[in-house]
Amino acid sequence: MANRLFVISGPSGAGKGTLVKGLMSVREDLWLSVSATTRQPRPGEIDGETYFFLSREEFDRRIEEGDFLEWADVHGNRYGTLRSAVEQRLEDGLSVILEIDVQGALIVQRSYPEAILIFVKPPSFEELRKRLIGRGTESEEQIELRLANAKMEMELEGCYNYSVTNDEVDIAVSELNSIIDFEIG
Ligand code: ADP
Ligand code: 5GP
């Protein structure tokens, strides 16, 4: 048994949040990192649970102080992983899940080469568009930006240790679960 750092990423709308929720409901040995962001909260999102919602000034101050393990500009806002919480959980012997964008995943890979990167992809680009529209959380303009970014993000799949296609949620969660079992040993 070894605790590991897992990074789950892939294009917006692929279903990362849905799969991570499913995964966390069946495992107790994982800790899900709560990121910081400068994006506005969506209805129902709770500060400190979904994200730590920070002003741009506060976010940039924390960059200066070295508080982020990684951070990136994603679809027009800043998002970052808080270093101290992740390092503490790893020291405690838990495995940690980061659900972050592709740029952030590659930064983590450089600083933690032993991290396991898992790419979540949609069955098709059309399905990705449908999911983003169906989620109903972004403006049309934001959806187009996320789809344009998805084209570039899909090209980085080869940098990952594993890929999971999110066609049926249950099957994809069980694939993720098997990868984690295998890597934890
Ligand atoms: P991400 O976190 O990658 O941005 P979400 O988990 O928010 O993506 O999923 C985007 C939308 O697609 C949500 O409305 C979600 O309910 C839906 N969704 C997720 N997985 C599937 C799936 N396998 N089949 C159909 N819809 C899905
Ligand atoms: P959303 O605005 O839909 O919650 O997230 C937008 C994107 O930001 C998603 O791809 C999500 O994975 C990514 N993201 C969330 N937290 C972080 C983080 O801490 N770091 C990075 N690099 N990306 C993040």
Side-chain angles (χ1 to χ4, degrees):
M1 291 281 280
N3 64 322
R4 308 295 303 255
L5 177 60
F6 294 98
V7 179
I8 296 185
S9 74
S12 179
K16 302 177 296 292
T18 305
L19 300 187
V20 167
K21 198 168 161 208
L23 186 67
M24 297 307 290
S25 72
V26 294
R27 298 195 73 114
E28 287 180 351
D29 55 343
L30 304 177
W31 181 76
L32 175 61
S33 165
V34 179
S35 296
T37 183
T38 61
R39 140 162 113 53
Q40 289 299 307
R42 296 176 187 142
E45 289 187 332
I46 299 170
D47 191 28
E49 279 186 26
T50 329
Y51 283 107
F52 293 101
F53 294 99
L54 304 184
S55 65
R56 177 62 189 258
E57 292 68 34
E58 174 71 0
F59 196 100
D60 289 353
R61 189 185 63 73
R62 299 197 67 164
I63 295 176
E64 291 292 311
E65 293 187 351
D67 287 356
F68 293 116
L69 187 71
E70 62 73 35
W71 67 271
D73 281 309
V74 189
H75 319 310
N77 283 294
R78 287 197 164 167
Y79 295 78
T81 304
L82 292 160
R83 181 193 303 279
S84 65
V86 170
E87 289 181 346
Q88 184 61 55
R89 291 331 190 281
L90 288 172
E91 269 176 40
D92 292 346
L94 284 170
S95 286
V96 170
I97 302 277
L98 308 183
E99 190 216 308
I100 63 177
D101 94 305
V102 170
Q103 306 169 73
L106 299 181
I107 296 170
V108 172
Q109 192 175 46
R110 280 201 295 275
S111 42
Y112 285 82
E114 66 281 18
I116 306 296
L117 270 60
I118 306 173
F119 192 82
V120 173
K121 58 179 181 177
S124 67
F125 197 72
E126 258 328 291
E127 178 63 20
L128 185 66
R129 179 187 294 276
K130 268 194 214 154
R131 288 184 189 172
L132 277 174
I133 294 169
R135 188 168 71 184
T137 48
E138 272 79 32
S139 63
E140 215 169 293
E141 192 188 351
Q142 258 293 324
I143 290 176
E144 289 311 320
L145 177 63
R146 286 176 183 233
L147 287 170
N149 289 339
K151 293 221 162 98
M152 293 182 277
E153 291 163 350
M154 290 294 287
E155 286 171 14
L156 294 167
E157 183 185 355
C159 301
Y160 284 65
N161 301 92
Y162 295 95
S163 285
V164 169
T165 301
N166 175 22
D167 195 348
E168 292 288 331
V169 173
D170 291 352
I171 295 173
V173 168
S174 121
E175 276 180 33
L176 273 179
N177 208 9
S178 303
I179 292 168
I180 289 171
D181 274 338
F182 178 74
E183 291 293 343
I184 288 179

